[in-house]
Amino acid sequence: MSSSEPFDFRIEHIIDIIKDAQPAIIGLQFPEGFKRRAPAIASQISEATGVDILISANPCYGACDLDVAILDNVDILFHFGHAQLDDNKYSEKVIFIETRSDTDVKEVVRKAVPEIKGKRVGVLTTVQHIQKLPDVCEILASEGKECLIGRGDSKIAYAGQVLGCNFSVADGLDCDEFLYIGSGEFHPLGVSLATGKRVLVADPFSNEVREVDPRRILKQRSAVIANSLDAETFGILVSTKPGQDRMALARQLKELAEKRGKTAYILTMDLITPDQMLQFKVDAFVSTACPRLAVDEVGRFSAPMLTPQEFEIVIGEREWEEITFDEIRGE
Amino acid sequence: MSSSEPFDFRIEHIIDIIKDAQPAIIGLQFPEGFKRRAPAIASQISEATGVDILISANPCYGACDLDVAILDNVDILFHFGHAQLDDNKYSEKVIFIETRSDTDVKEVVRKAVPEIKGKRVGVLTTVQHIQKLPDVCEILASEGKECLIGRGDSKIAYAGQVLGCNFSVADGLDCDEFLYIGSGEFHPLGVSLATGKRVLVADPFSNEVREVDPRRILKQRSAVIANSLDAETFGILVSTKPGQDRMALARQLKELAEKRGKTAYILTMDLITPDQMLQFKVDAFVSTACPRLAVDEVGRFSAPMLTPQEFEIVIGEREWEEITFDEIRGE
């Protein structure tokens, strides 16, 4: 990994695997942020090994979003940017390349220390920085703090790792507050809503420290719920992506709707987009797919898009105060 | 079928099948133009039979575009709006509901007769009007014309039926000109380019008769080819949709590119959209997927989008004069 490359695509490791396993043809799958690298990485691997390569061009937003169709055509699929989901792989053909970040986290953690109010600190991050957690704990310990790292459920590959749809490493952690290492708002917001505890964000890319404030997102989600209170007809969305398929939950929600005298249709699809949902005239949608969809695309759908928990509030099966981000939990 | 409903969704037929086969759960798949009908049709079927229903919300543009993922969850999939593709179905679970049109075609055919120059007329249409071909031939015969209807290859369910990607019913038909019954420009343009013969369009929806003029589309395709002449790097697209998967062709094109000293990457995906292709920086794309993609979405991609035949022209393996629409042919 050169100093100009902040992410480690492990090309030498991949070349070693190919030389060893001698596949006739391999697949490469990248999340959206890395797709532009695909041709150059394919050329590098092809020149070193002569292997045939297919590049998955489907949108990819997580380990949940494995390209199932390409598996029929390749001997090995290298899936970049995410850690393995669940204890069991979807297919033996898939090798996860986690693209760890080389970005220093110490500086921003030192910057965060004066902002930490409590003594017991729950530390969280995404897979890109997971190898830096010992550094984080060392700094916290040297400042007299206690560093707590949760194990998480079966969807979680590493202690302390959060996904956009799984905050189980924060479950029952006996800490005063959380320190999240990473960029983006979604993960720390989810932890804040799930635990009700203070969450501090230390962003190693921007070198900024900030406290999560869930008020804006709560107001936004409350508006979506409010706009759905008169809904009579619901479209319940199920994604067929292997890590997002929650058909059993969708059926439960449909029964719940019907018990309350509402009409509900189960709509199944791969990628859910606002454009595609225009085709279906319902009063509100309920997404059992990627929990980020309802939140990140708020206001872009032709009808309010609820999470399962928000739908329960709408039909009176859950209290407004129990609003939280949706999660896809493992065992 | 009521007089206010121009298309026959065969609801009673579907209800009979369900009562007979007693499936626990069925799927409904509609092309884009019919998706808005899905909830009402689902309610009608559910009320009559009590069967559980899943609605496929994935984009659907043809019989090639069967929702494979939904098949895992249903006992029967009713696929609306298209005739069965190929002699063999993809799955025994799929029942094609062709949604024939009740729209009268006689009036527009009578209107077309004075415009017909030759004696021997090849008659073509889409599956929606296929049952009207005897009416068409009767009118032509009464006007002293000879009515010729081609059989087509294995992709074609009915004599005289054209698809947007298959004009095989026009192959070698010993006619002076063609009469196409239907709306839209794509099918008659394809027949015009494939045969070099005059094609008259009789549109029963607008009640208009017009002659196909391929000059504008030829100019447009020539511009796409011209813009690709300097391309060094190609992205060759393969769709994994069951009826569009032409991996063998993609591999041949890649070899051809490499023989000419060019670089080519094979990109596989389900739905190909201009937005998604933005992620890949190449000098030109070659689509082996739905042949309409390059033509209908011209100018919307970040790089010229060629058909396989146009790519052959670009790299000097085919003459410019041999330009034609791409087809996905059967046996």
Side-chain angles (χ1 to χ4, degrees):
Chain A
M1 179 164 48
S2 80
S3 57
S4 63
E5 173 57 270
F7 291 100
D8 184 2
F9 290 92
R10 306 194 70 193
I11 307 297
E12 291 307 320
H13 173 62
I14 292 168
I15 290 169
D16 285 347
I17 291 172
I18 293 168
K19 285 184 175 164
D20 195 47
Q22 300 279 329
I25 181 160
I26 65 160
L28 303 178
Q29 187 182 16
F30 298 87
E32 299 313 285
F34 289 148
K35 274 205 166 62
R36 280 163 191 265
R37 313 293 192 88
I41 290 175
S43 290
Q44 213 179 330
I45 294 171
S46 161
E47 277 157 29
T49 64
V51 74
D52 255 9
I53 298 177
L54 303 181
I55 299 169
S56 167
N58 283 321
C60 174
Y61 299 105
C64 55
D65 208 349
L66 206 60
D67 189 336
V68 173
I70 203 173
L71 287 175
D72 292 338
N73 286 311
V74 299
D75 300 317
I76 301 174
L77 173 63
F78 293 97
H79 178 109
F80 292 82
H82 306 118
Q84 186 178 322
L85 201 64
D86 280 315
D87 300 319
N88 301 309
K89 285 184 186 180
Y90 180 85
S91 157
E92 285 300 315
K93 288 182 176 179
V94 185
I95 296 176
F96 289 85
I97 303 293
E98 295 167 353
T99 51
R100 301 291 179 86
S101 168
D102 195 33
T103 303
D104 175 62
V105 305
K106 290 180 187 169
E107 193 182 336
V108 78
V109 170
R110 281 193 201 102
K111 201 169 163 182
V113 169
E115 310 294 326
I116 298 173
K117 292 179 181 167
K119 182 176 161 56
R120 297 166 67 81
V121 185
V123 177
L124 314 157
T125 189
T126 60
V127 71
Q128 266 69 43
H129 308 289
I130 203 81
Q131 77 281 12
K132 304 289 176 72
L133 288 191
D135 290 351
V136 176
C137 286
E138 200 178 302
I139 293 170
L140 292 179
S142 73
E143 301 283 343
K145 305 288 184 188
E146 209 172 313
C147 184
L148 285 89
I149 298 180
R151 182 59 201 86
D153 67 20
S154 66
K155 295 264 180 194
I156 298 300
Y158 300 99
Q161 183 202 356
V162 282
L163 303 175
C165 60
N166 190 308
F167 316 117
S168 59
V169 291
D171 276 3
L173 209 59
D174 183 21
C175 60
D176 301 316
E177 61 197 287
F178 286 99
L179 177 65
Y180 169 76
I181 318 295
S183 54
E185 277 299 307
F186 199 90
H187 299 68
L189 268 173
V191 173
S192 163
L193 291 173
T195 64
K197 289 183 181 172
R198 184 172 184 249
V199 181
L200 219 53
V201 176
D203 184 337
F205 297 115
S206 68
N207 209 29
E208 279 171 359
V209 177
R210 61 182 178 277
E211 186 178 335
V212 166
D213 180 0
R215 282 175 300 181
R216 194 184 60 86
I217 200 85
L218 279 175
K219 206 170 148 186
Q220 202 174 63
R221 300 319 302 166
S222 298
V224 175
I225 294 170
N227 287 336
S228 310
L229 290 174
D230 294 333
E232 290 296 328
T233 306
F234 295 87
I236 301 174
L237 311 186
V238 179
S239 172
T240 51
K241 293 179 191 294
Q244 296 183 19
D245 185 344
R246 287 191 288 175
M247 183 63 82
L249 172 62
R251 288 172 168 286
Q252 286 167 21
L253 298 178
K254 184 171 188 278
E255 270 180 37
L256 222 51
E258 287 164 354
K259 206 179 78 181
R260 298 276 176 163
K262 312 287 186 184
T263 304
Y265 303 100
I266 296 183
L267 308 173
T268 76
M269 59 198 305
D270 181 58
L271 184 70
I272 297 164
T273 64
D275 273 0
Q276 189 58 21
M277 299 325 294
L278 277 174
Q279 307 279 358
F280 297 97
K281 297 282 168 210
V282 291
D283 300 325
F285 293 109
V286 186
S287 168
T288 68
C290 173
R292 296 193 61 153
L293 184 77
V295 179
D296 286 350
E297 306 269 4
V298 66
R300 296 193 56 222
F301 289 95
S302 52
M305 176 70 76
L306 300 159
T307 67
Q309 293 78 9
E310 291 163 359
F311 170 73
E312 288 173 5
I313 294 173
V314 165
I315 61 162
E317 292 274 341
R318 178 190 283 256
E319 298 298 322
W320 280 73
E321 295 68 34
E322 291 169 39
I323 192 169
T324 185
F325 274 7
D326 181 30
E327 296 184 57
I328 302 184
R329 287 296 188 100
E331 307 292 308
Chain B
M1 180 163 49
S2 81
S3 59
S4 64
E5 173 57 270
F7 292 100
D8 184 3
F9 289 93
R10 307 194 69 194
I11 307 297
E12 292 307 320
H13 173 63
I14 292 168
I15 289 169
D16 285 347
I17 291 172
I18 293 167
K19 286 184 174 165
D20 195 48
Q22 298 280 329
I25 181 161
I26 64 159
L28 304 178
Q29 186 182 17
F30 298 87
E32 298 314 283
F34 289 148
K35 274 204 166 64
R36 281 164 189 265
R37 311 293 192 89
I41 290 175
S43 290
Q44 214 179 329
I45 295 171
S46 162
E47 277 158 28
T49 64
V51 73
D52 254 10
I53 299 178
L54 303 181
I55 299 169
S56 167
N58 283 320
C60 173
Y61 299 105
C64 55
D65 209 349
L66 206 61
D67 189 336
V68 174
I70 204 173
L71 287 175
D72 292 338
N73 285 312
V74 299
D75 300 317
I76 301 176
L77 173 63
F78 293 98
H79 178 109
F80 292 82
H82 306 117
Q84 186 177 323
L85 200 64
D86 279 315
D87 299 320
N88 300 309
K89 286 184 185 179
Y90 180 84
S91 157
E92 284 300 314
K93 288 183 178 179
V94 184
I95 296 177
F96 289 86
I97 303 293
E98 294 167 355
T99 52
R100 300 292 178 84
S101 169
D102 194 33
T103 303
D104 175 62
V105 305
K106 289 180 186 168
E107 192 183 337
V108 77
V109 170
R110 283 194 198 99
K111 201 170 165 182
V113 169
E115 309 294 327
I116 299 173
K117 292 178 179 167
K119 184 177 162 55
R120 298 166 66 80
V121 184
V123 176
L124 315 157
T125 190
T126 60
V127 72
Q128 265 70 43
H129 308 289
I130 203 80
Q131 76 282 13
K132 303 289 177 73
L133 288 191
D135 290 351
V136 176
C137 286
E138 201 178 301
I139 293 170
L140 291 179
S142 72
E143 300 284 344
K145 305 290 185 188
E146 209 171 314
C147 184
L148 285 89
I149 298 180
R151 183 58 203 86
D153 67 20
S154 65
K155 295 263 179 194
I156 298 301
Y158 299 99
Q161 182 202 357
V162 282
L163 303 175
C165 61
N166 189 308
F167 317 116
S168 58
V169 291
D171 276 3
L173 209 60
D174 184 22
C175 60
D176 301 316
E177 61 199 286
F178 287 99
L179 178 65
Y180 170 77
I181 319 295
S183 54
E185 278 298 306
F186 199 91
H187 299 69
L189 268 174
V191 173
S192 164
L193 291 173
T195 63
K197 289 183 181 172
R198 184 173 183 248
V199 181
L200 220 52
V201 177
D203 183 337
F205 296 115
S206 68
N207 209 29
E208 280 172 358
V209 176
R210 62 183 178 275
E211 186 178 337
V212 166
D213 181 0
R215 282 175 299 181
R216 193 185 60 86
I217 200 85
L218 279 175
K219 206 170 149 186
Q220 201 174 62
R221 300 319 303 166
S222 299
V224 175
I225 295 170
N227 287 336
S228 310
L229 290 174
D230 294 333
E232 290 296 327
T233 306
F234 295 87
I236 301 174
L237 310 186
V238 179
S239 172
T240 51
K241 292 179 192 293
Q244 295 184 20
D245 185 344
R246 288 191 287 176
M247 184 61 83
L249 172 62
R251 289 172 168 286
Q252 286 166 22
L253 299 177
K254 184 170 188 277
E255 270 179 36
L256 221 52
E258 287 165 353
K259 207 179 78 182
R260 298 277 177 160
K262 312 287 187 184
T263 304
Y265 303 100
I266 296 184
L267 307 174
T268 77
M269 59 199 306
D270 182 58
L271 184 69
I272 297 164
T273 64
D275 273 1
Q276 190 57 23
M277 300 324 294
L278 278 174
Q279 307 279 358
F280 298 97
K281 296 282 167 211
V282 292
D283 299 326
F285 293 108
V286 186
S287 169
T288 68
C290 173
R292 296 192 63 150
L293 184 78
V295 179
D296 286 350
E297 306 268 5
V298 67
R300 297 193 55 221
F301 289 96
S302 52
M305 176 70 75
L306 301 159
T307 67
Q309 294 77 7
E310 291 164 358
F311 170 73
E312 288 173 4
I313 294 172
V314 164
I315 61 162
E317 292 274 343
R318 178 189 282 255
E319 297 298 322
W320 280 73
E321 295 69 33
E322 291 169 40
I323 192 169
T324 186
F325 274 7
D326 181 30
E327 295 183 58
I328 302 184
R329 288 295 190 101
E331 309 291 308

